[in-house]
Amino acid sequence: MTVRVTLIAPAVNAALREARFDDGGPLEAAGRTRAEELGRALAPDRRAGAAAVLVSPSVRCRETAEALGFPAAAPVDALAGCAMGRWRGRTLDGLVGEEEESVAAWLSDPDAAPHGGESLRALRERVGGWLDAPHPAGRVLVVAEPDVVRAAVVHALGADDRIFWRLDVRPLAGVHLSGRAGRWNLRLDGPFTGAADDTD
């Protein structure tokens, strides 16, 4: 059975704008406004046509889903962002000055977790396990953390985990995957518009 999964990155909050690891902060006013504009642009049949609407269990993802017009989106623990341990809320630039070797290890080794949280390989395996599990027939919409979107793409393509850092996920970008476990097709879009072609 073919499944169509659309992953939507959250709108801007302070952590995204400042290039910090998320610390649970809400959307900024501009980010909420942009998400509301995109939500109003969704055709009613697109809004009603999803078999399921899910969300990473972070404040910014839940608020983005609400602003897009999906207030009842169900949080999924398997789609949580990477657990960053003691680096939560810190900037990478700030950490380089304090823990240069640890940061270098984390950026080069998918199994490294010097922050005491989760490695990138563990994140990719967790997200990949969710992606390959059974889903409802039809289109599944997911407002997901940028690192979850990256992990899903790496898994779907069967790529080396080190490719994770080569993927740039912008706020409100949409990524469309169609297929099933072991065989996924990928389509990249600009800002999410809800205009995924159901004939993929």
Side-chain angles (χ1 to χ4, degrees), residues 67-89:
L68 287 169
F70 302 108
V76 177
D77 289 341
L79 297 175
C82 190
M84 294 310 301
R86 60 191 172 79
W87 289 1
R88 186 173 190 262

Side-chain angles (χ1 to χ4, degrees), residues 146 150 163-171 173 175 188:
R150 289 189 188 102
I163 296 299
F164 182 93
W165 295 117
R166 311 288 288 277
L167 303 174
D168 189 12
V169 179
R170 299 291 189 185
V175 173
L188 300 176

Side-chain angles (χ1 to χ4, degrees), residues 17 39-40 45 47 52 59 72 84 93 96 98 104 114 119 131 140 144 156 162-163 171 173 176 180 185 193 195-196:
R17 182 173 47 77
R40 286 192 294 273
D45 61 328
R47 188 183 306 282
V59 173
M84 294 310 301
D93 286 346
V96 167
E98 299 172 21
S119 73
L131 186 62
V140 177
R162 288 170 292 188
I163 296 299
H176 306 285
R180 59 190 176 278
N185 295 322
T193 63

Side-chain angles (χ1 to χ4, degrees), residues 36-104:
E36 289 171 347
E37 290 170 352
L38 287 175
R40 286 192 294 273
L42 290 178
D45 61 328
R46 288 289 179 188
R47 188 183 306 282
V53 181
L54 309 173
V55 65
S56 292
S58 65
V59 173
R60 66 187 180 190
C61 285
R62 292 196 312 267
E63 290 187 354
T64 298
E66 291 170 4
L68 287 169
F70 302 108
V76 177
D77 289 341
L79 297 175
C82 190
M84 294 310 301
R86 60 191 172 79
W87 289 1
R88 186 173 190 262
R90 302 289 306 278
T91 66
L92 204 55
D93 286 346
L95 286 165
V96 167
E98 299 172 21
E99 303 183 45
E100 185 174 1
E101 290 184 8
S102 294
V103 171

Side-chain angles (χ1 to χ4, degrees), residues 22-33:
D22 188 44
D23 56 2
L27 294 182
E28 292 187 339
R32 180 181 295 278
T33 297

Side-chain angles (χ1 to χ4, degrees), residues 107-110 121 154 159-167:
L107 292 173
S108 62
D109 179 1
R121 191 183 314 278
V154 170
D160 187 292
D161 286 318
R162 288 170 292 188
I163 296 299
F164 182 93
W165 295 117
R166 311 288 288 277
L167 303 174

